[in-house]
Amino acid sequence: MKTCVQRYGLAAALVLALLALTSCEEPGFNAGQAAGILTAQPVKLEGEQVLISDDQITCGEQKDLWTVNRQPDGGGKAQLLPAAKALHFDDDVVMSDPLTGTPAWVQIRGDFRLAAPAIQKITDEDPQTKIISAKVGVIIDHPCFGPMPLLGIHKHQFTAAADPVFRFKLTDTWKVDQLVH
């Protein structure tokens, strides 16, 4: 006959084994997972703005993506041509204004791959929703462009000082639901 110690010892071992198994669960949602999700599939961007450098503006002009109209103060606009619209540029390029220090930007619209995410903050909205702020670059499939920094919004204005904010939803897996700013 087994003693009480032997019986309870076996039960205790089983409880400990079950506890060990449950501690092997996947860790909570983290920045690495968020970055992987942001870069895995194209993300729909509607009327968002990206920074564009003077070199990219010049290259785009040389490749017939737009015609440039520079102002004497260094600012100006570049009017989109059909080739730029085919790349999902959505409105004329607004060139940097050296007097105000405003960088050049252009509006985009469509499904884009994102690159180089630097996750800044993860907030739980509910168990199936996460709000992620991240610095990201938008990939435009053209030799003139490397990843172009996506602008965030602060006080209803696009700015490089604010990070874009994405909403992730959990259905069967975590996915980018939308850019929410």
Side-chain angles (χ1 to χ4, degrees):
M1 224 191 259
K2 294 184 179 179
T3 66
C4 286
V5 173
Q6 289 173 320
R7 278 191 216 146
Y8 291 118
L10 180 59
L14 286 172
V15 168
L16 288 174
L18 287 172
L19 287 172
L21 287 174
T22 58
S23 69
C24 293
E25 289 179 357
E26 188 173 303
F29 189 89
N30 62 42
Q33 288 174 296
I37 293 165
L38 280 169
T39 59
Q41 298 292 323
V43 174
K44 185 173 222 41
L45 301 175
E46 294 292 333
E48 300 302 327
Q49 294 179 2
V50 292
L51 292 180
I52 185 167
S53 70
D54 289 337
D55 288 344
Q56 291 170 329
I57 293 169
T58 300
C59 182
E61 183 178 28
Q62 293 168 349
K63 301 288 185 181
D64 295 322
L65 297 178
W66 40 69
T67 56
V68 174
N69 180 15
R70 294 193 190 276
Q71 300 297 318
D73 64 3
K77 289 200 178 217
Q79 184 178 6
L80 299 184
L81 298 173
K85 291 182 181 189
L87 294 171
H88 303 287
F89 289 106
D90 194 49
D91 201 359
D92 293 343
V93 177
V94 177
M95 295 167 48
S96 57
D97 183 350
L99 297 176
T100 64
T102 305
W105 57 271
V106 63
Q107 191 174 76
I108 58 174
R109 186 178 305 274
D111 293 331
F112 295 92
R113 301 222 31 131
L114 302 179
I119 306 303
Q120 304 299 313
K121 184 177 179 185
I122 299 174
T123 306
D124 291 337
E125 191 168 271
D126 61 52
Q128 285 78 36
T129 308
K130 306 252 184 226
I131 304 298
I132 314 292
S133 63
K135 294 183 185 308
V136 297
V138 176
I139 298 172
I140 307 289
D141 189 21
H142 191 278
C144 286
F145 311 108
M148 302 171 77
L150 181 64
L151 299 177
I153 292 181
H154 179 69
K155 295 185 179 181
H156 308 291
Q157 295 292 321
F158 283 100
T159 176
D163 296 324
V165 178
F166 298 87
R167 183 172 67 197
F168 285 44
K169 285 287 198 176
L170 177 63
T171 51
D172 54 333
T173 61
W174 285 103
K175 296 179 184 167
V176 177
D177 180 49
Q178 69 180 12
L179 181 62
V180 294
H181 291 287

